[in-house]
């Protein structure tokens, strides 16, 4: 090797060492910088005809494990989802209160049933009547408070959707901006590495709110999609979330895919091509904090409200509704006559029959006076199946509509012949032997405090209106009832009606018929509950007493909160593990950098020594020639 080749080789080595030292210095200086990925110099050997082999630095490489990074982002989204679910469900448990303590639904119901039991022991006691009335008011108040708590949580997650949208948009804009800056830069450019660190941080922030899938093209542009395929970021372009708040939410503030009918805030995403998509209606996000907020607002907390509404509705109906069995028709064809006189909107007729497969079926006819609410929707295999019909439409029209609504059931509906009244409906089998009507009854809401029977309209909807279960085009009366339920103001004015159920003749002093009935309706009578409560199914709804139902849904909610907390903790461990795994390859290791520094210093000294020797030799040659 000539002196010129040796000098050129040593100089290239010095330049390579200087570049590497600069990178080591940057690594050490940024060892505590969040999101900084350790860099390694890219050096190659270049052979030239005149000077032999030389070292050349072509840029830097980021020490990153893309597979672990993608896993970490996925689990970060899962952690954001789990954190929000656990946080809100824990707060929901605070709304319900600690079982056995005062200020809980369970305690309020127990106090009320105990007061009714005490009233039966001393029916004529004004103090016992006052205590029972106070317990009823406390129960109604507790239902009101529980509704406020649930709706407050819904309003909180509604507000969080707006905050999360803004945070997600900031990250999306930052990613798109960095994509633009990276255009034209090689991935090995040190300035590109710094920008990619910043972009990764922005993507990590985004993954907390929504699920992300990231691909990088040949021009180093990050393309980001949700797992459902909606593009969030392209080359220099970013989608934008838009949230229009509905303000404080109430029990009737429900999501509807039709924006004109929706009672909650609208969350949309505007794509780079200008089109806008309803995030909730199209399941745009499936993980992250925003997905949790949507599920909590539109499903989980709505179901919690359904549960307390069902409790309020069942209690009201249990005490005020009078069920009358149909009059048997010996036949053939055999069946029952059912009197519909006095039925109010929402009152029902229940029919039980054995079908052609020897399976017991139930049909519930609901008095629906608002035509915009028809037809009533039934889940597949719903049992009982609900059919909405206007009871005031005349027996001929009612029978015709029911025969059309139940094809293949082998049931036959008709107006009952004389001497039945004009309000009597007859249901029989069709005389084919393929079906058998086994029971029929009507349930009507009693409005008088002294109807002559033990039924009592103790609770009302808002203090005045009776709860009848009415269904209109705008929804069911049951929705939000727990927030409106109150003790009948007529009963508040005259607590003696808790015992007196007849005025002519007057109920004897000490008669416990009414208090016994009310206590039995709340503690031992069995009812069927809507699958919308999350208990049972459409074909096998949950059945049990009011107390059983309360304990059941409180238990379900407590279990859901426990599971959410366990998932949150497990997700935290997964994220921590992946973060540690990612850091082990991507973060700056000071020990390794110090070792690299020593090697580079030695290499620098060696190259400098070569240059010194070459200089000395060249000086000797020059002097010899002189």
């Amino acid at each position: 090797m000539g002196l010129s080749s040796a000098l050129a080789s040593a100089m290239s080595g010095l330049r390579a060492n200087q570049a590497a030292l600069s990178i080591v210095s940057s690594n050490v200086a940024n060892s505590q910088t969040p999101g900084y990925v350790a860099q390694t110099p890219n050096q190659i050997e270049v052979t030239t005809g005149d000077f032999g082999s030389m070292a050349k630095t072509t840029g830097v490489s980021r020490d990153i494990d893309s597979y672990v990074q993608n896993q970490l982002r996925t689990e970060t989204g899962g952690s954001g989802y789990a954190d929000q679910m656990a946080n809100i469900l824990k707060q929901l448990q605070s709304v319900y209160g600690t079982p056995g303590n005062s200020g809980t639904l369970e305690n309020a119901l127990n106090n009320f049933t105990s007061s009714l039991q005490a009233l039966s022991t001393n029916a004529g006691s004004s103090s016992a009547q006052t205590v029972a009335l106070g317990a009823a008011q406390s129960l109604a108040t507790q239902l009101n408070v529980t509704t406020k708590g649930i709706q407050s949580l819904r309003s909180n997650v509604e507000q969080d959707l707006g905050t999360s949208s803004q945070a997600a948009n900031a990250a999306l804009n930052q990613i798109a901006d960095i994509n633009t800056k990276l255009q034209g830069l090689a991935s090995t450019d040190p300035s590109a590495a710094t920008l990619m660190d910043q972009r990764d941080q922005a993507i990590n922030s985004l993954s907390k709110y929504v699920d992300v899938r990231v691909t990088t093209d040949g021009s180093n542009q990050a393309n980001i999609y949700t797992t459902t395929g909606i593009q969030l970021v392209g080359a220099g372009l970013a989608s934008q979330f838009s949230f229009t708040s509905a303000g404080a939410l109430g029990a009737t503030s429900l999501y509807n895919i039709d924006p004109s009918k929706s009672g909650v805030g609208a969350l949309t995403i505007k794509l780079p091509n200008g089109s806008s998509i309803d995030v909730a209606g199209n399941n745009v996000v499936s993980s992250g904090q925003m997905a949790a907020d949507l599920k909590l607002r539109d499903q989980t907390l709505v179901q919690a409200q359904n549960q307390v509404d069902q409790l309020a509705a069942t209690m009201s109906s249990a005490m005020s509704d009078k069920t009358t069995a149909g009059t048997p028709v010996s036949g053939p064809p055999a069946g029952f006559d059912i009197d519909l006189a006095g039925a109010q909107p929402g009152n029902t007729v229940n029919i039980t029959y054995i079908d052609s497969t020897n399976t017991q079926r139930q049909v519930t006819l609901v008095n629906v006076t608002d035509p915009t609410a028809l037809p009533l929707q039934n889940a597949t295999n719903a049992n009982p199946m609900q059919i909405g019909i206007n009871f005031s439409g005349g027996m001929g029209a009612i029978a015709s509509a029911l025969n059309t609504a139940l094809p293949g059931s082998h049931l036959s509906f008709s107006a009952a012949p004389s001497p039945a009244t004009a309000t009597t409906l007859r249901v029989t089998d069709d005389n084919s032997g393929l079906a058998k009507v086994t029971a029929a009854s009507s349930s009507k809401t009693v409005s008088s405090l002294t109807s002559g029977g033990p039924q009592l309209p103790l609770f009302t909807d808002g203090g005045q209106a009776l709860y009848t279960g009415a269904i209109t085009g705008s929804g069911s009366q049951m929705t939000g009832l727990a927030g409106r339920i109150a003790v009948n103001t007529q009963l508040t004015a005259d607590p003696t009606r808790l015992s007196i159920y007849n005025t002519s003749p007057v109920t004897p002093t000490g008669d416990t018929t009414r208090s016994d009935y009310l206590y039995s309706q709340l503690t031992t009578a069995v009812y069927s509950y809507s699958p919308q409560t999350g208990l049972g199914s459409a074909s096998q709804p949950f059945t049990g007493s009011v107390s059983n139902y309360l304990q059941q849904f409180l238990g379900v909610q407590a279990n859901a909160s426990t599971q959410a907390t366990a998932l949150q903790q497990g997700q935290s461990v997964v994220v921590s593990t992946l973060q540690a795994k990612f850091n082990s390859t991507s973060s700056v290791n000071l020990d390794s950098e110090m070792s690299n520094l020593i090697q580079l210093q030695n290499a620098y000294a060696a190259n400098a020594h070569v240059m010194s020797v070459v200089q000395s030799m060249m000086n000797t040659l020059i002097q010899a020639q002189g």
Side-chain angles (χ1 to χ4, degrees):
M1 177 185 292
L3 292 179
S4 297
S5 297
L7 180 61
S9 179
M11 289 182 65
S12 70
L14 283 175
R15 286 193 293 267
N17 286 338
Q18 287 175 331
L21 283 167
S22 176
I23 293 170
V24 169
S25 175
S26 176
N27 285 342
V28 173
N30 289 284
S31 61
Q32 301 300 317
T33 301
Y36 180 84
V37 174
Q39 299 174 9
T40 302
N42 295 333
Q43 295 180 338
I44 60 174
E45 182 181 351
V46 179
T47 302
T48 64
D50 296 328
F51 298 107
S53 297
M54 292 188 296
K56 182 178 180 180
T57 301
T58 60
V60 299
S61 295
R62 301 168 72 228
D63 299 335
I64 195 165
D65 188 330
S66 297
Y67 176 74
V68 174
Q69 184 182 53
N70 288 333
Q71 279 189 310
L72 179 57
R73 287 169 176 166
T74 297
E75 297 304 334
T76 297
S79 183
Y81 182 94
D83 286 348
Q84 185 70 340
M85 292 294 292
N87 178 41
I88 298 301
L89 289 181
K90 184 177 181 179
Q91 292 182 55
L92 180 59
Q93 288 304 297
S94 296
V95 171
Y96 293 137
T98 304
N101 289 358
S102 59
T104 65
L105 281 174
E106 186 178 26
N107 181 259
L109 179 60
N110 289 339
N111 287 344
F112 181 47
T113 54
S114 296
S115 69
L116 291 175
Q117 191 174 33
L119 185 60
S120 289
T121 303
N122 193 358
S125 168
S126 60
S127 62
Q129 293 165 353
T130 301
V131 169
L133 183 63
Q137 290 173 321
S138 296
L139 177 56
T141 298
Q142 192 60 48
L143 284 164
N144 300 160
V145 169
T146 302
T147 293
K148 288 181 180 179
I150 293 171
Q151 296 310 313
S152 176
L153 291 177
R154 290 187 71 220
S155 297
N156 289 346
V157 296
E158 164 101 340
Q159 183 178 8
D160 189 66
L161 277 171
T163 304
S164 296
S165 296
Q166 293 176 0
N169 286 341
L172 290 170
N173 290 331
Q174 184 180 6
I175 296 165
D177 181 58
I178 294 174
N179 270 349
T180 300
K181 292 178 180 178
L182 284 168
Q183 288 178 346
L185 292 179
S187 60
T188 56
D189 190 317
S191 61
T194 299
L195 288 172
M196 285 188 283
D197 284 348
Q198 295 172 1
R199 186 175 65 185
D200 282 348
Q201 279 291 87
I203 296 173
N204 294 343
S205 296
L206 178 64
S207 67
K208 174 185 175 183
Y209 300 101
V210 299
D211 46 298
V212 297
R213 180 170 57 85
V214 184
T215 61
T216 306
D217 59 25
S219 59
N220 202 24
Q221 298 295 289
N223 297 284
I224 304 178
Y225 304 84
T226 66
T227 54
T228 55
I230 300 299
Q231 187 171 24
L232 298 176
V233 179
L237 298 173
S239 298
Q240 290 288 283
F241 289 99
S242 177
F243 182 70
T244 304
S245 176
L249 302 184
T252 58
S253 305
L254 303 175
Y255 171 79
N256 193 300
I257 196 168
D258 181 349
S260 64
K261 298 179 180 178
S262 186
V264 296
L267 178 63
T268 58
I269 183 170
K270 187 176 182 180
L271 304 181
N273 63 12
S275 61
S276 186
I277 299 176
D278 178 1
V279 174
N282 293 279
N283 297 316
V284 170
V285 293
S286 58
S287 187
Q289 189 167 320
M290 291 172 69
D293 282 337
L294 288 173
K295 183 172 183 179
L296 287 163
R297 185 195 69 178
D298 300 335
Q299 298 178 43
T300 306
L301 294 175
V302 170
Q303 186 179 86
Q305 184 65 52
N306 288 339
Q307 290 169 347
V308 293
D309 286 342
Q310 177 77 83
L311 176 64
T314 301
M315 286 196 314
S316 297
S317 298
M319 289 183 279
S320 65
D321 284 7
K322 181 178 181 180
T323 299
T324 304
T327 303
V329 175
S330 58
F336 295 88
D337 284 344
I338 311 162
D339 186 9
L340 305 185
Q344 300 184 56
N347 286 171
T348 61
V349 167
N350 295 287
I351 300 168
T352 303
Y353 70 100
I354 305 297
D355 68 9
S356 57
T357 65
N358 204 35
T359 301
Q360 180 172 290
R361 301 282 184 184
Q362 287 185 306
V363 176
T364 297
L365 312 180
V366 184
N367 185 16
V368 178
T369 56
D370 183 354
T372 64
L374 298 174
L376 298 184
Q377 299 299 311
N378 284 282
T380 303
N381 297 321
N383 189 25
M385 181 174 75
Q386 288 192 332
I387 299 176
I389 196 85
N390 190 335
F391 286 9
S392 63
M395 294 305 103
I398 293 174
S400 177
L402 292 174
N403 287 326
T404 301
L406 290 168
S409 66
H410 299 287
L411 299 183
S412 177
F413 293 89
S414 61
S418 181
T421 67
T423 58
T424 302
L425 177 70
R426 174 165 291 185
V427 55
T428 64
D429 60 69
D430 63 0
N431 213 25
S432 66
L434 296 177
K436 179 182 179 181
V437 184
T438 58
S441 63
S442 64
S443 294
K444 302 170 187 176
T445 303
V446 172
S447 58
S448 172
L449 300 185
T450 52
S451 62
Q455 293 80 17
L456 175 67
L458 194 154
F459 292 113
T460 60
D461 185 347
Q464 296 294 330
L466 294 177
Y467 174 75
T468 63
I471 300 174
T472 66
S474 59
S476 168
Q477 185 185 10
M478 185 173 75
T479 303
L481 177 64
R484 305 186 305 267
I485 192 171
V487 172
N488 193 326
T489 54
Q490 295 180 38
L491 188 61
T492 304
D494 187 4
T496 64
R497 301 308 185 190
L498 281 166
S499 301
I500 299 174
Y501 58 89
N502 204 9
T503 55
S504 183
V506 176
T507 305
T509 301
D511 191 312
T512 64
T513 301
R514 173 162 280 177
S515 54
D516 288 345
Y517 173 81
L518 298 178
Y519 177 76
S520 174
Q521 289 294 92
L522 292 179
T523 57
T524 60
V526 174
Y527 307 96
S528 179
Y529 303 88
S530 170
Q532 291 183 336
T533 61
L535 307 180
S537 63
S539 58
Q540 291 184 317
F542 175 77
T543 58
S545 68
V546 171
S547 298
N548 292 153
Y549 167 70
L550 174 59
Q551 293 169 358
Q552 186 71 15
F553 86 70
L554 288 177
V556 167
Q557 289 291 355
N559 186 54
S561 179
T562 300
Q563 290 181 341
T565 300
L567 178 61
Q568 177 191 34
Q569 294 170 345
Q571 198 66 32
S572 177
V573 171
V574 171
V575 170
S576 296
T577 302
L578 285 171
Q579 187 67 63
K581 188 174 182 180
F582 179 78
N583 291 343
S584 68
T585 58
S586 301
S587 294
V588 175
N589 185 316
L590 290 178
D591 290 339
S592 296
E593 296 301 329
M594 291 301 102
S595 176
N596 291 338
L597 181 61
I598 293 171
Q599 293 178 17
L600 289 170
Q601 288 174 333
N602 290 337
Y604 189 94
N607 283 304
H609 182 67
V610 169
M611 291 186 68
S612 177
V613 170
V614 169
Q615 182 181 21
S616 176
M617 293 174 69
M618 291 183 72
N619 288 336
T620 300
L621 286 172
I622 292 172
Q623 291 173 359
Q625 291 176 356

